[in-house]
Amino acid sequence: MADLLVWLVAGPPSLGAPATIQSACSLVGHDLMTMAELDAALPDATWQAAPRSTDEPVPDTFWTVGLGSGPERRFSFGLNTELSAVQSAVSVANAVQDHLAGYEGMQWPECPGHQHPMAARIVDGSAVWVCRSEGRRIAEIGQLHTIA
Ligand SMILES: [Zn+2]
């Protein structure tokens, strides 16, 4: 793909990507780095983003965003660049969580003290991780700490 942008999950975002994608990937990337098994599941984890290709039946405002291992693409999904930064962060968090659960067999991010992963939600205008059973707000997306 000609316009594919690739940057390390742990590194600064590609300036070629729309601002909402840069911001969402930085926040979710920070939280991904707290996952001890990340390097085993996705060595040299990268974000990958590209404008929609003309043969895809989605609006012009969509980009394809995904995760890879180095240059190798692992998964991607469509993200509307007209979403707010908060909506984008929740969308990216949900897509990454779904992929890790469905294809890598990993629960991320683990809810402190529980056996389930947290859920990404918009609460009071912020993108946050909440406990699925209690609805309790645990952390802002992008501010997870390593849970030992
Ligand atoms: Zn919980």
Side-chain angles (χ1 to χ4, degrees):
M1 191 183 301
D3 296 309
L4 182 66
L5 305 172
V6 178
W7 66 97
L8 287 171
V9 162
S14 167
L15 298 178
T20 52
I21 292 177
Q22 290 185 41
S23 140
C25 291
S26 289
L27 293 173
V28 176
H30 170 276
D31 290 355
L32 269 172
M33 296 304 293
T34 67
M35 181 169 64
E37 313 90 335
L38 178 66
D39 206 48
L42 281 176
D44 302 318
T46 53
W47 290 112
Q48 306 194 355
R52 81 185 263 280
S53 62
T54 49
D55 56 355
E56 290 175 272
V58 293
D60 286 341
T61 56
F62 274 67
W63 271 52
T64 299
V65 178
L67 274 179
S69 179
E72 174 202 344
R73 183 187 294 199
R74 290 295 182 88
F75 94 108
S76 62
F77 62 99
L79 187 66
N80 190 341
T81 58
E82 291 184 331
L83 293 178
S84 71
V86 167
Q87 290 170 319
S88 300
V90 169
S91 294
V92 170
N94 277 323
V96 168
Q97 184 177 62
D98 287 351
H99 169 75
L100 291 175
Y103 293 91
E104 313 287 350
M106 300 165 75
Q107 280 201 1
W108 172 86
E110 287 179 26
C111 189
H114 290 151
Q115 299 294 317
H116 53 226
M118 291 185 273
R121 300 271 189 273
I122 297 174
V123 178
D124 297 333
S126 297
V128 297
W129 293 112
V130 301
C131 171
R132 287 172 188 272
S133 59
E134 299 166 359
R136 188 164 55 92
R137 175 178 172 148
I138 308 290
E140 302 233 350
I141 293 177
Q143 294 185 9
L144 274 191
H145 300 294
T146 306
I147 300 165

